[in-house]
Amino acid sequence: EEEWAAGIAGLTRAGQMSTGGRQEVVLLSDVLGVSMAVVGANHPAAGGATESTVLGPFFVDGAPEVENGADLGAGAPGRPCLMRGRVLGAGGAPVAGAAIDVWQADEAGMYDVQYAGLEAPRGRGRLHADRDGRFWFWSVLPVAYPIPTDGPAGDVLRAGGREAMRPAHVHFRVQADGFETLTTHVFVAGDPHLGSDAVFGVKRSLIAPFTAHEPGRTPDGREMDRPYHSMEYDLVLAPVQR
């Protein structure tokens, strides 16, 4: 009975802590491995499509619409990073106009919604693939960060002797007519926490190099007066199963 009461208390607290900017119930599901079990059951890897992973607790509907090439960082602390790729169907054809939600933490390991009083979104946006399926944007280099441990999710980690770190990553959610919605991450190659992700979200196929560059002309034609990084990764969608 004491264990039952503790479980109910934890679920109640998770609900009470959840807000529009932080979903503690989702975070609790993540650290228990439930979220990835649901992802695996509903989005099995098949046909060369990009593998799915967890949505996470910091997704927010209604991200600002931006053009390709925009700076999603919008003043967030961190090293500049150009991220680009293509949205493709499983057969390799470009998916023109696909809607791409992007969100990530800054150099301090914080998402915009974790800052009290921040007036505008940063590190997040919604863009669309061009007619060749291409997308590109600037932001900051992702870093590893600890998930919030002041709630029931943190209690679970401490009880299991587990670390709270997530390896560096950027989130993507891609939607297009005729295709399954893809929710995934791209992880930074070489991150020391790839083998111990607190939410079990890492898959080998989602790891990509984030390459360091000296100042100069960037792949999208900018002139950078300071060092920057770049990442290129194609997002492949599975067709809707009729």
Side-chain angles (χ1 to χ4, degrees):
E1 290 179 346
E2 290 179 359
E3 290 179 344
W4 174 84
I8 293 298
L11 291 172
T12 301
R13 186 175 169 216
Q16 292 168 338
M17 293 184 70
S18 295
T19 67
R22 171 180 172 177
Q23 235 298 353
E24 182 70 15
V25 179
V26 170
L27 189 60
L28 182 60
S29 172
D30 289 349
V31 301
L32 288 169
V34 175
S35 299
M36 279 303 295
V38 172
V39 168
N42 286 275
H43 304 285
T50 299
E51 293 191 273
S52 299
T53 188
V54 295
L55 181 68
F58 298 115
F59 172 76
V60 178
D61 272 317
E65 297 273 349
V66 298
E67 297 293 328
N68 277 303
D71 182 4
L72 273 61
R79 296 185 179 184
C81 186
L82 172 64
M83 304 188 210
R84 56 193 176 125
R86 297 173 296 166
V87 180
L88 306 171
V95 182
I100 309 162
D101 277 288
V102 183
W103 66 105
Q104 68 165 103
D106 62 21
E107 187 177 60
M110 298 277 283
Y111 289 80
D112 54 357
V113 293
Q114 294 179 278
Y115 287 101
L118 193 65
E119 295 183 355
R122 70 185 190 192
R124 89 176 56 237
R126 182 178 174 90
L127 56 154
H128 294 267
D130 70 10
R131 64 182 182 181
D132 296 317
R134 298 177 303 164
F135 66 90
W136 66 99
F137 62 91
W138 285 86
S139 190
V140 296
L141 179 68
V143 299
Y145 62 85
I147 64 171
T149 57
D150 56 339
D155 294 341
V156 168
L157 292 175
R158 284 186 288 273
R162 294 165 52 198
E163 67 173 41
M165 295 300 294
R166 294 224 63 205
H169 62 275
V170 57
H171 295 261
F172 291 94
R173 188 180 73 165
V174 188
Q175 298 171 301
D177 290 342
F179 295 91
E180 299 285 353
T181 296
L182 170 66
T183 301
T184 196
H185 301 8
V186 176
F187 293 92
V188 177
D191 188 286
H193 304 287
L194 288 170
S196 56
D197 183 9
V199 307
F200 309 102
V202 177
K203 296 182 179 181
R204 188 177 300 274
S205 67
L206 302 179
I207 300 171
F210 283 65
T211 305
H213 303 275
E214 294 300 317
R217 184 173 292 275
T218 69
D220 69 339
R222 294 190 182 194
E223 286 292 339
M224 288 293 290
D225 60 1
R226 55 177 172 149
Y228 69 97
H229 284 70
S230 69
M231 178 276 285
E232 188 167 3
Y233 191 90
D234 292 342
L235 301 166
V236 182
L237 306 184
V240 170
Q241 299 300 315
R242 302 296 182 184

